[in-house]
Amino acid sequence: MSEAFDPQRWRPAPFLPQEDARDPALLFVVAVLSFLACLTALGVIASSRAAQGWTDQLTAEATVIVRARGGETPDAAAARAAEVLAGVPGVSEARALEKEKAYALIEPWIGDVADLDDLPVPRLVAVGLDARKPATAAALGRALKAQELDAVVDDHSVWIEDIRGAAEVVRWIASAILLLIAGAAAAVVAFATRAGIAARKDVVEVLHLTGAEDGQISNLFELRFAGIAAVAGAAGALAAGLLGGALRLVGGGEGITPALPIAWVDLLVVLPCPVLAALVAAVAARITARRLIQRL
């Protein structure tokens, strides 16, 4: 005798099952992409901070190359130049460097510097500039020329422009990488949406016949994959945050290295990752689902 039908025990199967065999693979791929996106963002922030630190340091200093004239010794000329520069408005400090430091700068180019004592090797003067109103290279040059000193002022403007240009290139490259990662995540979600609709083609047609609109059906896919992407994005962000924190601890106050200083506040950049991952997945699923459903 067949068992009697019990309406209390019968439940209809959901249109999109909560446990799908494809979900673990999709979770893994989106989590990895989120992890890479967060690391890219951390790298951009660290490189920007490093570039700003180098720029600030170079902006606060200038170097003057002094050559001796007539019977004046190089050391005497450097000392006189330092005295002149110390009185220029916008200069906080001017100090003549020892000849050993001048020799160390040219040694990589000419080799042994033991026989240079008899040659008029230029001396260097390190100039500290006022942070609020620094003296310009032109003002320093005029002060030196007024005292008939043969000197060249290097305000590091070339280096500063190079650093800023390099930082800008890094930002553009990172932006392109983030766009590629977002595109890859959207493509993965679109593929999963296509597979889900293909597997439930008959059900979609029945829903159409019963009056369901395209937007209602596509919303099911949109919400499902947005939720999966949010969970995967949170996992990837957590992994990136833990790695960034570990690098911060290992590197001490300078982060990984002086070239990539990571601060604790930088780790906050991973927080929007789950929301952004869910948004990308929702948009990709919605566009793909609507397009495919309209063809059925």
Side-chain angles (χ1 to χ4, degrees):
M1 182 175 180
S2 61
E3 185 178 355
F5 173 74
D6 185 0
Q8 297 298 326
R9 297 177 57 187
W10 182 84
R11 295 287 186 276
F15 177 60
L16 292 175
Q18 293 299 319
E19 299 295 334
D20 194 300
R22 290 179 291 269
D23 287 355
L26 181 61
L27 277 167
F28 175 76
V29 172
V30 177
V32 170
L33 292 174
S34 300
F35 174 75
L36 295 176
C38 290
L39 286 187
T40 301
L42 284 173
V44 171
I45 293 174
S47 61
S48 296
R49 177 179 290 107
Q52 186 61 46
W54 295 336
T55 300
D56 292 342
Q57 184 177 357
L58 291 174
T59 304
E61 298 177 351
T63 303
V64 178
I65 304 172
V66 182
R67 293 180 290 266
R69 277 184 174 178
E72 192 174 27
T73 65
D75 292 328
R80 189 159 64 91
E83 183 178 358
V84 171
L85 293 172
V88 176
V91 173
S92 59
E93 179 188 11
R95 179 172 56 90
L97 301 181
E98 300 79 5
K99 67 178 182 180
E100 289 76 13
K101 293 188 176 182
Y103 288 176
L105 291 176
I106 62 176
E107 185 175 5
W109 305 97
I110 66 174
D112 187 13
V113 295
D115 299 329
L116 294 181
D117 290 337
D118 296 333
L119 298 177
V121 178
R123 297 293 188 263
L124 301 178
V125 177
V127 181
L129 303 177
D130 189 345
R132 292 173 297 180
K133 192 176 180 181
T136 63
L140 298 178
R142 286 193 298 268
L144 293 168
K145 188 176 181 180
Q147 297 298 321
E148 297 183 351
L149 284 163
D150 184 6
V152 176
V153 179
D154 180 9
D155 61 354
H156 307 152
S157 58
V158 174
W159 295 101
I160 291 172
E161 290 300 321
D162 288 344
I163 292 173
R164 289 175 176 169
E168 189 68 20
V169 170
V170 169
R171 283 191 287 269
W172 279 106
I173 292 176
S175 299
I177 292 175
L178 291 175
L179 288 176
L180 287 175
I181 292 175
V188 170
V189 172
F191 178 81
T193 304
R194 185 183 298 272
I197 292 179
R200 297 166 180 83
K201 179 179 178 181
D202 295 339
V203 180
V204 172
E205 291 178 348
V206 172
L207 290 175
H208 264 149
L209 292 176
T210 58
E213 297 181 357
D214 294 347
Q216 294 174 323
I217 302 174
S218 65
N219 284 343
L220 297 175
F221 290 92
E222 181 181 346
L223 294 175
R224 174 66 180 280
F225 289 116
I228 293 175
V231 174
L238 178 61
L242 291 176
L243 178 59
L247 293 174
R248 178 65 175 79
L249 288 174
V250 171
E254 293 180 340
I256 307 175
T257 66
L260 285 175
I262 292 180
W264 290 113
V265 69
D266 297 345
L267 301 181
L268 296 177
V269 75
V270 306
L271 293 181
C273 184
V275 177
L276 295 176
L279 180 62
V280 170
V283 172
R286 185 178 186 85
I287 294 174
T288 304
R290 281 180 175 270
R291 184 178 301 171
L292 292 176
I293 291 171
Q294 288 174 358
R295 296 177 182 176
L296 296 178

